[in-house]
Amino acid sequence: DKGEVIWKEGRLKNGFERPVVIHRAILGSIERMSAILMEHFAGKWPFWLSPRQVQVVPVGTQFNEYALWVERQLQIHGFHAEAETSGKTLNKKVREAQLASWNYVAVVGAEEQNALSVNLRSRESEKPLGAFSMVDFIAKLDAEAMPSSQPLRQFEAFQGRLPAEPKKTEVPEPMPSAKLAPKPAFQKQGSLQLRKAASDKFATLSVDDDVEAFLESHPYVKGFEPSFADAELFEQLSESGVPETPNLKRWFDHVGSFPSSDRAQWVKA
């Protein structure tokens, strides 16, 4: 018939002739979920989801510096905190924080500043929770910041037993009257110092005795450029054995990476 639509798949059954709509909404689910949460919590978000977790309220402007310090410590530990440092009265600050649905109001004054603590008030409680040291306060917030029905990062008992923590080894303190024996100048066998002391062949080398310390901050035995002294020392150590001290061994491996023809051209420093 005129005007009849013939689909690619052929004639459709009655009731199946309908348009297909593809709905593309990248943030649709997030928006709907946010609307559900807003309606459910009525603006009083749980602590782990709240954009207003802690407001720090100083009792007077003279404690603003400490209030800002508390704010900074909370932010460093990953919590959203703000310090109310205006000239409003204490009661007005606390009232406005309650109306703004802050989860916690941390009041600070002279006593809290001296003890590095806060006097805590909760949105869910009419009475103040009391004084908390900063360490205890952070621990309390950490416990509420993890949205989990089970405690995390804690062992569960197996048949009534928990894994034993490793015992900390106590380092005995030295006796106050005891004097430490002087450390020998050279302890490592095979060091250049011992070789020069025991061998006339090494004693003639134009290298300082403290070459190990010198190589700590220099690539070569005479400074920052290879010289005849490097080639001379390398040949002697090649015959007697690889050095054991770390800086000299590193130098030995580096100089050994040069061809012998290159080392022969190094001039005396």
Side-chain angles (χ1 to χ4, degrees), residues 13-174:
K13 297 180 182 179
N14 292 334
F16 284 82
E17 301 91 346
R18 61 180 64 133
V20 177
V21 177
I22 299 177
H23 175 61
R24 181 175 182 267
I26 298 176
L27 297 177
S29 299
I30 297 178
E31 292 172 352
R32 285 191 291 271
M33 188 62 190
S34 299
I36 293 171
L37 289 174
M38 291 177 189
E39 183 179 2
H40 177 74
F41 291 114
K44 294 184 177 181
W45 299 92
F47 181 80
W48 63 271
L49 192 59
S50 176
R52 295 177 173 177
Q53 294 180 320
V54 182
Q55 185 169 76
V56 186
V57 177
V59 299
T61 55
Q62 65 270 34
F63 304 109
N64 284 354
E65 184 180 359
Y66 178 63
L68 292 172
W69 179 84
V70 173
E71 173 196 54
R72 175 61 179 160
Q73 306 318 301
L74 293 171
Q75 292 173 349
I76 289 174
H77 285 81
F79 302 109
H80 180 79
E82 291 182 8
E84 220 292 24
T85 56
S86 67
K88 300 176 183 178
T89 63
L90 174 61
N91 291 336
K92 186 172 180 61
K93 291 179 182 179
V94 173
R95 178 59 179 164
E96 289 181 349
Q98 292 173 340
L99 293 176
S101 295
W102 285 87
N103 295 82
Y104 289 105
V105 178
V107 180
V108 295
E111 184 178 346
E112 289 76 21
Q113 179 174 300
N114 293 333
L116 294 182
S117 62
V118 297
N119 194 293
L120 198 59
R121 299 169 183 239
S122 173
R123 185 187 63 193
E124 313 300 334
S125 176
E126 296 181 359
K127 296 182 179 180
L129 301 181
F132 286 78
S133 68
M134 285 300 296
V135 175
D136 293 338
F137 185 31
I138 294 295
K140 175 179 174 59
L141 299 183
D142 279 334
E144 297 182 24
M146 182 61 66
S148 174
S149 59
Q150 297 293 329
L152 301 179
R153 302 184 64 82
Q154 295 182 14
F155 285 107
E156 293 182 339
F158 176 72
Q159 296 179 352
R161 295 177 297 132
L162 288 171
E165 295 184 0
K167 295 182 180 180
K168 296 182 179 179
T169 56
E170 297 183 358
V171 180
E173 297 183 359

